[in-house]
Amino acid sequence: MDKDAGKKRAAEEAAKHIERGMTLGLGTGSTAAHFVDLVGKRVSEGWDLRGVPTSEATRAHAERLGVEIIEPDETTIIDLAVDGADEADPSLNLIKGGGAALLREKIIAHAAKKFIVIADKSKRVAALGAFPLPVEISPFSWALTVAAMRRVLTEQGFDGAPLELRARDGAPVKTDGGNLIIDCKLGRIENPAALEKALAAIPGVLESGLFCGMADMVIYGDEDGVSIATP
């Protein structure tokens, strides 16, 4: 399967939901980048659109295309957010965070009136967990947070699950907010909503990459077309 073709088709289908005058939540990653390209194309055609990016990379990409970037205030209405996912199950629960932007992604997805996920069809799974679950944590005394995560994961049935501090070139990966990412190799998550809630209760955990009950639609693309899943 040509995954990039699938990503493009999914982004094109999501772009059909854009209307003039919208404020858009712009996701992070290779699939979301195709959607940003389409937003830029509409702006170049004279559409009045504004964007709220979920990462500095997306901000830079959108600005290069001439998309107006705004800093939300309490009155801002995000009409539509579009983002990718690392996995999506039949109930549209997601694992996100492979691009280390999960906290900002969840803030924008939660605020949006409509949240559409776009992905190539390989991201469609029967159960979450084959993709390591990212958890964004504060760098302050981070090892204590990891110890608490191990206790909670044991309580949730993941005793001994490998937890790894995400690193690149020998240094910890830092999010745009200066936080750390712990990747949890859980194998299979039977109750993602319960796990999301349990991890969120740990001091030091800022967000997990579990997005449960948030997606209004998941669009899967392949070289032949798209399929659409709704709750």
Side-chain angles (χ1 to χ4, degrees), residues 92-104:
L92 308 195
N93 298 312
L94 316 171
I95 285 182
K96 291 177 50 55
L102 61 101
L103 173 59
R104 295 188 181 191

Side-chain angles (χ1 to χ4, degrees), residues 92-229:
L92 308 195
N93 298 312
L94 316 171
I95 285 182
K96 291 177 50 55
L102 61 101
L103 173 59
R104 295 188 181 191
E105 289 171 339
K106 191 173 280 191
I107 290 170
I108 298 306
H110 181 266
K113 292 170 65 177
K114 188 172 188 177
F115 176 40
I116 295 178
V117 175
I118 54 177
D120 67 81
K121 68 178 183 180
S122 71
K123 303 302 193 301
R124 190 173 204 159
V125 298
L128 301 180
F131 188 91
L133 173 64
V135 179
E136 187 165 343
I137 68 171
S138 169
F140 175 76
S141 296
W142 66 270
L144 298 179
T145 302
V146 173
M149 288 173 57
R150 292 189 192 280
R151 292 192 294 271
V152 165
L153 288 172
T154 296
E155 293 168 358
Q156 293 289 317
F158 301 102
D159 188 25
L163 306 188
E164 295 182 358
L165 174 67
R166 191 180 298 182
R168 185 181 299 118
D169 298 328
V173 168
K174 293 286 186 75
T175 70
D176 288 338
N179 304 314
L180 303 175
I181 299 289
I182 304 297
D183 290 312
C184 308
K185 298 181 178 181
L186 305 181
R188 184 182 179 91
I189 303 172
E190 298 288 353
N191 191 337
L195 180 58
E196 181 181 28
K197 183 178 180 179
L199 289 169
I202 300 171
V205 168
L206 302 174
E207 270 301 347
S208 78
L210 288 166
F211 285 52
C212 297
M214 298 184 70
D216 295 294
M217 177 186 299
V218 179
I219 301 172
Y220 300 100
D222 62 27
E223 57 266 38
D224 297 320
V226 300
S227 59
I228 297 174

